[in-house]
Amino acid sequence: MLPLECPTQAYDWGSTHAIPGFQRRRPDGGPVAEVWLGTHPLGTARIVDDSGDQRPLSEVAGQLDFMLKVLAAERPLSIQVHPNSARAQAGYAAEEARGVPLAAPERVFKDPRPKPEMVVALSTFDTLVGFRPTAEILRVLMPLPHPVVRTLTKKLRENPGFAGIVRLVEGLLLEPPGADDVAAIVEQCRAALDDGIDIKRAYATAVEIEKFYPGDVGVLVSLLLNRLTLQPGEAAYLDTGIIHAHLSGMCLEVMVSSDNVLRAGLTTKHVDPAGLVLCLEEGMSRVARVSPQLFGTSTDIFSPNREFALSLTQSSQADPAGVILPSTGPRLLVCTGGEVALLNERDEMLHLRRGDAAYADDGDGELRIVGTGEVAQAYAPDGAAGRLDDLI
């Protein structure tokens, strides 16, 4: 078992206090958006030995196929889609052939891998996931009398269903309405709210987002998307091809070890509207909640696919011998609350407090935790995927 020092990302949407508090550090006033646990070349965790020296985790673990993040959003993230395997490989090869530097801001494909991911809430966590059904979008749009919205309504009535919704998004992104039009539509949303009218939080969401991104076309795209609120310990799966935008809160993210993101609004980063539209996939917005499977009496396992899983294990004085964690292969672990001792099959011990991270592998065998706290563990499952439930 090896303690880890993990890099952080200071994206502008990050929280100034959530992750520093999670890691028991004093905030420095700047945003901290993510902590990366894994071996991705853009953010490799480092092993800390007994003398305090550090070396990349990849020297011991090789290149892990999955990674774990702690994410804290103080304002909405970009509207984005992650590519499937074929598009990731083609996009990466094309940018490599053009000689686009890996760290260049305009670089879209940082690696040749897809990026399905799962979020597990650590606080109340709000996100937009997938398109609303056609009928619901029409209910959202019809009370808004702005000419831009009337045009959208007319187009969707003439071409309903997934293909028609994608065409709406494509038109909005490639020929966005002016900032004044966006502001006027948001005012109509606000007026509807003042009259006690909203449709599954569509108008409230647009008003919230516009505070951070006035005039951005992404505010209008948000009207087309499902809003989902996760409470601590609840999970949602975001497969490749799903349009989404996290809004606020703190979560764990486990994913394929990839950083491929196509963005199209609500961001200061590089946007690729045409690329995002190409990556959209049908049939991906109705199943998003991940129902946990129980392991023992103190562990929830969230396993949406065959590529990664995440377990949340709690222990207390009621378990004097400790609580066993699932899996015996390569594992990334982070203490999400309290203070525990992590023990391997040889009874070697590693103390973890909230925010501390560690790596374990086959040589450690079965792990258990003793103490009062909670540990999250990311790993590659060896069984069938768990159940996905309709988010709507």
Side-chain angles (χ1 to χ4, degrees):
M1 302 174 295
L2 302 168
L4 298 178
E5 283 291 329
C6 302
T8 59
Q9 306 291 347
Y11 306 140
D12 56 7
W13 48 261
S15 170
T16 57
H17 62 277
I19 286 177
F22 180 76
Q23 295 183 320
R24 314 183 317 280
R25 294 188 291 106
R26 186 182 299 276
D28 63 8
V32 185
E34 295 177 344
V35 183
W36 285 25
L37 288 72
T39 57
H40 195 281
L42 293 179
T44 302
R46 302 184 69 83
I47 297 164
V48 184
D49 65 23
D50 293 338
S51 64
D53 292 334
Q54 298 185 12
R55 56 195 172 113
L57 174 59
S58 52
E59 289 187 6
V60 171
Q63 292 299 319
L64 296 174
D65 292 329
F66 59 92
M67 64 187 297
L68 177 64
K69 295 181 182 179
V70 182
L71 180 150
E74 204 157 277
R75 65 183 194 178
L77 280 66
S78 60
I79 291 177
Q80 59 187 255
V81 173
H82 302 309
N84 61 26
S85 182
R87 292 199 180 278
Q89 291 175 23
Y92 180 78
E95 289 189 316
E96 287 287 282
R98 295 201 307 272
V100 182
L102 190 62
E106 71 274 15
R107 179 80 185 233
V108 174
F109 295 92
K110 313 295 179 62
D111 51 70
R113 292 180 291 278
K115 196 192 176 195
E117 62 188 26
M118 177 176 62
V119 299
V120 179
L122 292 174
S123 71
T124 299
F125 190 80
D126 276 280
T127 186
L128 300 175
V129 185
F131 294 122
R132 300 175 186 269
T134 298
E136 191 171 300
I137 293 175
L138 289 172
R139 287 177 54 215
V140 169
L141 298 181
M142 286 171 60
L144 305 176
H146 193 278
V148 169
V149 179
R150 287 177 176 168
T151 299
L152 295 175
T153 302
K154 180 176 183 293
K155 289 180 177 179
L156 188 56
R157 280 175 166 165
E158 293 172 350
N159 186 16
F162 179 81
I165 298 169
V166 171
R167 295 289 77 79
L168 284 192
V169 172
E170 184 177 35
L172 283 170
L173 296 180
L174 298 182
E175 296 183 15
D180 290 344
D181 288 325
V182 175
I185 294 167
V186 171
E187 280 305 309
Q188 292 176 359
C189 292
R190 187 176 285 110
L193 289 171
D194 290 341
D195 290 337
I197 300 170
D198 202 356
I199 298 166
K200 294 192 176 179
R201 298 185 286 174
Y203 303 152
T205 300
V207 170
E208 290 172 21
I209 294 175
E210 196 264 348
K211 296 175 185 176
F212 300 100
Y213 299 99
D216 194 297
V217 67
V219 177
L220 303 188
V221 176
S222 76
L223 295 171
L224 313 181
L225 307 182
N226 301 297
R227 180 159 175 169
L228 177 65
T229 299
L230 300 174
Q231 297 303 328
E234 294 182 333
Y237 178 54
L238 308 176
D239 203 351
T240 59
I242 280 191
I243 188 169
H244 62 280
H246 298 325
L247 300 177
S248 64
M250 189 170 179
C251 72
L252 298 169
E253 278 192 327
V254 59
M255 65 198 70
V256 169
S257 184
S258 172
D259 193 36
N260 290 329
V261 182
L262 294 101
R263 301 179 179 88
L266 309 183
T267 184
T268 57
K269 295 182 180 180
H270 175 73
V271 297
D272 185 1
L276 178 142
V277 169
L278 286 174
C279 284
L280 291 171
E281 296 179 21
E282 188 170 5
M284 72 302 185
S285 63
R286 298 292 300 192
V287 282
R289 286 190 184 272
V290 186
S291 295
Q293 301 165 298
L294 193 62
F295 177 83
T297 60
S298 302
T299 298
D300 285 333
I301 294 177
F302 301 89
S303 181
N305 59 25
R306 296 292 186 90
E307 296 166 300
F308 54 74
L310 186 126
S311 64
L312 282 178
T313 301
Q314 299 185 60
S315 66
S316 71
Q317 286 85 352
D319 309 292
V323 178
I324 295 171
L325 275 60
S327 183
T328 57
R331 287 151 284 179
L332 296 165
L333 305 106
V334 61
C335 180
T336 52
E339 184 172 356
V340 300
L342 181 68
L343 297 97
N344 65 12
E345 285 189 342
R346 297 183 298 277
D347 283 334
E348 296 169 334
M349 183 180 297
L350 181 64
H351 286 281
L352 299 177
R353 298 171 63 193
R354 188 188 70 249
D356 290 342
Y359 170 76
D361 60 17
D362 285 314
D364 293 296
E366 190 174 76
L367 300 177
R368 56 193 167 95
I369 57 172
V370 178
T372 301
E374 181 181 72
V375 170
Q377 174 185 252
Y379 60 98
D382 56 8
R387 194 176 88 242
L388 299 178
D389 292 324
D390 191 331
L391 72 86
I392 300 172

